[in-house]
Amino acid sequence: MAKSKSKAMPGLPATDVDIYLFHEGTSCHSYRILGAHPAVEEGVEGVRFSVWAPHARHVGLASDFNGWNGAQDSLHKIPDSGIWTRFFPGITAGTFYKYDIEGPHRERFLKADPYAFAAELRPATASVVADLNGYNWQDASWQRKKKSITVKPVNIYEVHLGTWRQKKDGSFYSYRELAELLIPYLKKMNYTHVEFMPLAEHPYDLSWGYQCTGYFAVTSRFGSPRDFMYLVDACHQAEIGVIMDWVPAHFTKDAHGLRMFDGTPLFEYADSIKAEKPGWGTLSFDYGKPEVCSFLISNAIFWLEMFHIDGLRVDAVTSMLRLDFEKTEGEYHLNEQGGVENLEAIDFLRQLNAAVFKYFPHTLMMAEESSAWPGVTAPASAGGLGFNYKWNMGWMNDTLDYVGAPFEKRQSKHHHLTFPIAYAYSEQHVLPLSHDEVVHGKKSLLSKMPGDYAQQFAGLRILLGYQMTHPGKKLLFMGGEFGQFIEWRDQHELDWLLLEYESHRMLQMYAADLNRLYLEEKALWELDHKQEGYEWITPHDSAQSVISYLRKGKKVSDTLIIIINFLPCERKNYRIGVPRAGIYVPLFQSEAEKYGGQGVSVQDPIRTDKIRWHEQDYSLELTLPPLSFIVLKRSPAGVKSAHIAKPGPPKQLSNASSRQSGAGSANGKRKTAKSEIGR
């Protein structure tokens, strides 16, 4: 296995060039000069501490060796720089420390290091000296194979490490222990990437990591920085990409953190109206301050360089872009042009993406942007923000509104299934079914589904099938793949005990097989970013709540036919148009018995008729089981289904000719299955 060492970070004092770039807002590696760096200076081992605190009257190093009083252990201010620095001999990795700061009004307070590479385990709040050099990475093969993800399958499993699994006593697994548990699961379930909810140090578990205090310190809840390197390294060796949720939109007000860092609003806006995010009780970064831009851009590069992260999901981008985000009149100011856009934040995001792609061109930069802001994934030169992917929140909202609706109301909501294609190619999208949709009373994905017990499982199967075959990369929050019944609880592990019940085991198998189908069928990702990769067969069958469409790859032979019946009614003699004559076989069926379905399957093979239908020269006819998702593919004669084992002779078979588009019976309702777990 090829090995590579992580890049060494110098612990030397900042040069004039370093300082210039930092103040210009173009430093992409400010973590190499700021923070606590183990070093050897004039033959003596120790640590060089450097911190930006331009308005401080005095900065000292506080630790347990001096009773947390830094009055006598002063750092020295570099003239005209705002940076304080000093080499302390004899200090070693593992030392706890803070900065003892005297503000401009002679007030004194202790602050954690904004550039610290490690932090004390909460509720303690000190920074910890850490040496990030020397880890022997074994992911060289993964790094060599990196290329643009646009034409690759991307299927992301979103994980909150504190609650994915817990030990019997409720304590956390370490990064290294999680490597042994999580990676085999990701491989078994056929995911391509894992996304970790924010891992930067944060004081409060129930913030889920979204209110940070230590942007350069991976949280100590699960181990050391090197332990986290081990987890990422192991993922890469297993060919799993790693994405980190990253939070440049705001930070927590905790006393030891960034707020009023040197006794003045340093990292936040001085204008409290502009700084406050009242809905979250946090503060916005001041994107108009070059040093803050250097801090944040360097932080993004830090995770990519030092921890080999493959992508960043950038949280709450809308809150950065809009001055009026979740604010009422009087709670925000208009910009200098009279608009509500945060012009400094727009410039920052463009600069951020340019820097990331300069140093790491194949990084996945995903924006969680919930408005209709234009050009999120367009280049800055074309007026865009420069991301390469955006979460498709419109698709998510429309889809969940539809699948959560009672069956009798779905006809009137049919446009929620058809309209998302109108903007599917306006950006490069990720389709998220994320943690935000299964908390705060929104219910789990399974519990959102209407109907009886069996219908809820059938509904979730077709939701996952619809997501997997709709244009866009994929993301699913943990638990959705096996039917977590209750919404996510942010203090307890997932309900893995549900896998003792057959319905949940079958759903998990379904998710794994569906993920494998996605990996193997190029039509589901090869032309994801181009309109020619998708074509409606018919979006118009609102009366029966059925949609059908084609997914296409570069080769005509890769084309797939997708048919989804969103009602608990069997549709007999259902005819659809197809582009080519021949034999079509089912690659995948959600109602297969092994997935918990009724076992009603489409006959294999189905021959086309020379009947023009849906503006296609040929057509075929089949029976659609209630609440079903079906994938068909044209195949040479004699080739059988590749992805499902037929459970036996079909219970219902129909391939008779019919001249009535989508003719079907409203009868044949699903039988109510008795709950296996006594809901």
Side-chain angles (χ1 to χ4, degrees), residues 261-280:
F261 183 77
D262 63 355
T264 70
L266 189 63
F267 288 88
E268 68 269 32
Y269 285 106
D271 179 352
S272 61
I273 288 181
K274 201 170 182 180
E276 290 285 344
K277 280 188 159 58
W280 298 333

Side-chain angles (χ1 to χ4, degrees), residues 373-486:
W373 191 277
V376 173
T377 60
S381 60
L385 297 180
F387 289 92
N388 56 4
Y389 279 90
K390 171 186 174 177
W391 273 23
N392 193 336
M393 310 294 277
W395 173 89
M396 179 199 70
N397 289 326
D398 283 349
T399 298
L400 293 181
D401 182 71
Y402 180 87
V403 299
F407 299 128
E408 64 272 14
K409 293 185 178 180
R410 289 189 170 180
Q411 291 178 342
S412 65
K413 292 179 174 286
H414 195 73
H415 61 286
H416 286 332
L417 299 175
T418 58
F419 180 64
I421 289 298
Y423 57 84
Y425 298 98
S426 62
E427 306 273 7
Q428 291 197 152
H429 283 131
V430 172
L431 307 180
L433 294 173
S434 73
H435 67 277
D436 278 328
E437 306 315 309
V438 294
V439 291
H440 300 322
K442 295 180 182 178
K443 300 189 293 188
S444 70
L445 291 180
L446 183 62
S447 294
K448 292 179 193 291
M449 304 298 138
D452 61 33
Y453 181 75
Q455 289 169 343
Q456 286 183 299
F457 278 91
L460 183 49
R461 289 196 297 271
I462 60 176
L463 168 61
L464 297 178
Y466 175 55
Q467 179 198 33
M468 201 60 66
T469 55
H470 192 282
K473 308 306 184 186
K474 325 298 176 187
L475 180 142
L476 180 68
F477 184 59
M478 61 184 196
E481 77 279 11
F482 65 80
Q484 175 86 5
F485 251 128
I486 60 177

Side-chain angles (χ1 to χ4, degrees), residues 299-320:
N299 186 242
I301 298 295
F302 169 80
W303 291 102
L304 301 172
E305 180 180 61
M306 299 308 300
F307 290 100
H308 291 204
I309 296 294
D310 303 290
L312 299 174
R313 180 264 193 182
V314 183
D315 177 61
V317 169
T318 309
S319 77
M320 300 169 65

Side-chain angles (χ1 to χ4, degrees), residues 325-341:
F325 180 79
E326 293 189 352
K327 293 183 178 181
T328 60
E329 190 172 350
E331 293 182 328
Y332 62 92
H333 301 311
L334 299 179
N335 65 32
E336 61 192 32
Q337 300 173 1
V340 297
E341 301 84 8

Side-chain angles (χ1 to χ4, degrees), residues 206-222:
L206 300 189
S207 78
W208 313 338
Y210 289 101
Q211 296 189 14
C212 304
T213 50
Y215 274 76
F216 290 83
V218 66
T219 179
S220 56
R221 287 166 174 79
F222 314 111

